[in-house]
Amino acid sequence: MRSGISISLPFLSTVVAALFSSVTGSPIKVPRDLSTTSIPSYVLDYAPLVWLYSDDEYRPSDIGQQVAHTIPEVNWKEVEGALSPLTLDNLDSLNDLGNTSVYLTSKEGINATIQPAWFNGVTPDDQGKTNGAVSSAIIVRDHGDGTVDAFYFYFYAYNRGNVVLGMMFGDHVGDWEHNMIRFVNGVPDAIWYSQHSDGEAFSYTATEKNGQRPIAYSGNGTHAVYAISGNHDHTIPGLNFNNGLIVDHTDQGVLWDPTLSAYAYSYNADTAQFQPYDASYPVSWLQFNGQWGDDKLPGQKEIFGQSKYSAGPNGPKFKKLVRKDVCPSGLCIVRTDLGP
């Protein structure tokens, strides 16, 4: 028998966030539906959809919860004088206490014998939404001449590295990856796929699509972003072969729609300031100069200067938001085919 009570999806999202907050001890902000904000509609209409690897245990994660589960450290010592609690609304206060040397260090430690559950993130539901986790940020930079760059940032609490010569390399806490689509007069022209220290650019017409939305594939554990499924050797940055020494693996595991649980901002290149598309979105975290994870553990075995546990990454503002070409730097080749 029906009760006659109607429950809206936004209400359910709020309930999920409240329940998650009661477990973690830190509030989660449920972002406003992006389609109701002033973000350009084409930024959402052509936003990438991401295939997560089927067996990847490290899913997209809540950006704010990363702060709640970590302690700011410099040289492996807790920062004195830090605000408590640290949140996305005051994270940039750490800039005065250590600037780029501050690491958001996991309370359990990157080498914990039993990894904490929050490393695993949230698996998207059947609609592709990470319920209870704001796991994406969209940043829009308008060049002022009809050219607009839309950055789609994807956040994961943990990065699992690659096996090389029988040894695991590159595990780290915190992981930022992104696509960037360059629009010309509201029409998508080219798209960048970030991959470790480099990436690849393709014309929009070349990419796989779901409707008009381009497809991205997330590497197993590393979350590097690729244009096709399969194996991807990245031994040489910027080159992508089927096989090699350092290989990422992608497939059509779980489909994620990052726009369903995201914050969104415009970026002023002249002032280096971020403006939220809704007043409820936190802003200060975008100005944080430090690293989103533990510092590299000292005393590790190394091969070619690489070790099992590496340092966490810096945030979106360091990902070349101001760029001439669709590529962040260097010679920019925009490919028109998806082959290796």
Side-chain angles (χ1 to χ4, degrees):
M1 179 176 179
R2 297 180 62 183
S3 65
I5 298 176
S6 174
I7 301 178
S8 67
L9 288 177
F11 175 78
L12 287 175
S13 296
T14 303
V15 170
V16 170
L19 290 173
F20 194 75
S21 173
S22 68
V23 173
T24 62
S26 180
I28 291 178
K29 293 184 176 181
V30 178
R32 180 180 172 186
D33 182 351
L34 292 178
S35 65
T36 67
T37 71
S38 60
I39 190 172
S41 59
Y42 57 82
V43 172
L44 301 181
D45 293 340
Y46 296 98
L49 292 167
V50 181
W51 279 111
L52 304 173
Y53 189 75
S54 53
D55 293 328
D56 190 354
E57 59 185 302
Y58 303 107
R59 302 299 195 187
S61 305
D62 185 78
I63 302 169
Q65 285 300 300
Q66 195 78 4
V67 180
H69 285 292
T70 56
I71 300 170
E73 292 187 351
V74 173
N75 294 326
W76 303 281
K77 295 182 180 179
E78 186 171 352
V79 174
E80 295 184 1
L83 295 176
S84 182
L86 281 168
T87 68
L88 296 183
D89 290 309
N90 62 22
L91 191 62
D92 63 341
S93 64
L94 293 173
N95 294 348
D96 296 328
L97 302 176
N99 208 0
T100 59
S101 60
V102 175
Y103 287 82
L104 298 180
T105 306
S106 55
K107 295 177 181 178
E108 298 85 354
I110 187 174
N111 59 343
T113 302
I114 299 177
Q115 288 190 335
W118 63 273
F119 277 7
N120 299 111
V122 175
T123 298
D125 64 16
D126 291 341
Q127 283 70 51
K129 182 176 181 180
T130 52
N131 288 298
V134 184
S135 48
S136 178
I138 301 174
I139 298 176
V140 179
R141 186 237 168 165
D142 191 337
H143 290 239
D145 60 357
T147 301
V148 171
D149 291 341
F151 294 80
Y152 305 85
F153 285 98
Y154 316 130
F155 184 70
Y156 305 82
Y158 193 82
N159 177 98
R160 172 61 59 83
N162 294 115
V163 176
V164 182
L165 300 177
M167 179 177 173
M168 178 68 73
F169 288 92
D171 285 17
H172 57 81
V173 174
D175 193 15
W176 285 104
E177 303 292 346
H178 72 278
N179 284 122
M180 189 274 268
I181 298 181
R182 173 155 291 181
F183 294 91
V184 179
N185 298 321
V187 178
D189 179 64
I191 180 169
W192 173 256
Y193 291 77
S194 71
Q195 299 160 3
H196 306 285
S197 60
D198 207 310
E200 295 176 288
F202 296 90
S203 66
Y204 168 77
T205 56
T207 61
E208 290 185 25
K209 299 176 187 66
N210 183 323
Q212 61 187 5
R213 297 179 65 175
I215 293 295
Y217 291 88
S218 178
N220 182 23
T222 71
H223 310 123
V225 191
Y226 296 95
I228 57 176
S229 64
N231 297 334
H232 307 271
D233 174 67
H234 57 92
T235 305
I236 302 174
L239 294 182
N240 183 359
F241 300 105
N242 289 329
N243 293 289
L245 184 63
I246 310 175
V247 180
D248 279 332
H249 305 279
T250 64
D251 68 8
Q252 293 187 357
V254 178
L255 190 62
W256 175 32
D257 184 348
T259 69
L260 296 182
S261 192
Y263 299 129
Y265 310 85
S266 62
Y267 180 73
N268 187 314
D270 295 327
T271 63
Q273 297 298 309
F274 299 89
Q275 182 68 34
Y277 281 105
D278 184 85
S280 67
Y281 301 158
V283 180
S284 296
W285 68 274
L286 288 164
Q287 295 294 357
F288 172 53
N289 290 335
Q291 314 297 121
W292 287 76
D294 299 38
D295 198 353
K296 179 179 180 179
L297 287 182
Q300 298 182 76
K301 176 182 178 182
E302 294 190 358
I303 298 179
F304 305 124
Q306 301 298 315
S307 57
K308 177 174 174 58
Y309 298 114
S310 59
N314 50 24
K317 81 169 186 174
F318 293 96
K319 309 307 181 185
K320 297 290 182 70
L321 299 179
V322 178
R323 55 180 76 174
K324 178 182 178 182
D325 300 311
V326 67
C327 310
S329 60
L331 176 65
C332 189
I333 299 174
V334 179
R335 297 175 53 190
T336 57
D337 66 272
L338 296 179

